[in-house]
Amino acid sequence: MTRPGIHTASEDRSLPVPFTPARASAIYTMRTLETAAERDEAAALVQDRQNWLVLHSLPAPAGADIPAQFRTAQTRSAGLFEDGRMLACLIPEQSPDLAWGQGPCLFLRSLYTLPGHPDDVTRLITLWASDFAARHDLPHVRAEAPTRQLRDPAPVAQLLNRLIDMGWDLYGPGCGQAGEVARLELKAEHRSGLGALINCRVQVPQPAQRDRSTA
């Protein structure tokens, strides 16, 4: 199911790994947030992005205090870093009860990127997530993008078209963990050579409890 103004993805589309020159270590690191300082940095990044969304009249998740979720040690969050600077943060979950999609998955909850960063961080997260899911025998990656009604739907349509171009399939609108959302699914895929670009040190998320409340 698609929304007006949004094109569909092709069946055989594959997102290529960008070429990077050889170097001693990976350019980026994706790792579990272990320290209070890292969790505070993630919470600050979330607040900066939320303020940016409001400033640009774009939809933001409703309800839960998301920065507080990143601050707590009980949340197994992760971040994407370049030279020690956090570019994005998220909460990876294994097969939560989403009420949509078939079979197990890696779910990317509360994904936020650093405002104004020139690199295509969303593309890097897409590459990492599809490879991470494949390496842990999860056939799909799923995510939800806030899409509450706006006077001008063009920015949301542009975002969704960009995600589709990266390999995501659009399942249409619905009610999700962040309120009104677009449901997105990505096929897991082993990506040979990705380690030269992104060093992965993310702990494997445990299967989500079926009776837990959603954010």
Side-chain angles (χ1 to χ4, degrees):
M1 179 178 180
T2 58
R3 303 182 70 178
I6 300 170
H7 61 266
T8 57
S10 62
E11 292 291 334
D12 59 352
R13 180 195 52 237
S14 178
L15 187 65
V17 177
F19 172 78
T20 55
R23 54 183 283 169
S25 60
I27 300 173
Y28 304 97
T29 299
M30 190 77 186
R31 67 173 185 262
T32 299
L33 305 183
E34 299 284 2
T35 68
E38 289 178 338
R39 293 190 291 269
D40 286 343
E41 184 179 359
L45 186 154
V46 170
Q47 290 176 319
D48 287 346
R49 171 57 77 176
Q50 288 179 331
N51 291 337
W52 186 92
L53 292 170
V54 171
L55 182 64
H56 291 80
S57 300
L58 292 171
D65 184 350
I66 298 174
Q69 294 177 4
F70 278 93
R71 288 191 186 97
T72 177
Q74 284 69 42
T75 301
R76 303 307 297 166
S77 52
L80 177 69
F81 294 83
E82 180 186 22
D83 294 329
R85 185 188 187 194
M86 188 181 296
L87 305 181
C89 59
L90 68 148
I91 302 171
E93 297 181 335
Q94 184 180 153
S95 303
D97 188 4
L98 299 175
W100 65 273
Q102 298 294 322
C105 72
L106 172 68
F107 181 63
L108 307 183
R109 180 159 68 92
S110 300
L111 169 58
Y112 285 83
T113 60
L114 185 68
H117 195 274
D119 285 348
D120 196 339
V121 177
T122 304
R123 181 182 178 89
L124 294 170
I125 295 290
T126 296
L127 289 165
W128 165 80
S130 64
D131 180 73
F132 184 81
R135 287 190 287 109
H136 296 288
D137 299 320
L138 297 170
H140 297 99
V141 182
R142 297 191 180 108
E144 296 174 342
T147 58
R148 64 174 172 78
Q149 292 298 320
L150 303 172
R151 284 186 179 179
D152 181 9
V156 173
Q158 290 171 1
L159 169 64
L160 296 179
N161 274 327
R162 186 161 162 256
L163 292 171
I164 289 169
D165 288 340
M166 292 181 190
W168 292 88
D169 287 311
L170 179 62
Y171 269 62
C175 184
Q177 295 188 355
E180 184 179 350
V181 299
R183 296 164 171 173
L184 298 155
E185 183 176 270
L186 176 72
K187 183 179 179 182
E189 180 180 348
H190 289 282
R191 299 187 181 276
S192 177
L194 185 62
L197 179 67
I198 305 172
N199 176 25
C200 179
R201 289 159 35 200
V202 176
Q203 298 175 9
V204 180
Q206 296 300 310
Q209 296 296 321
R210 290 294 176 179
D211 60 351
R212 70 165 178 82
S213 59
T214 56

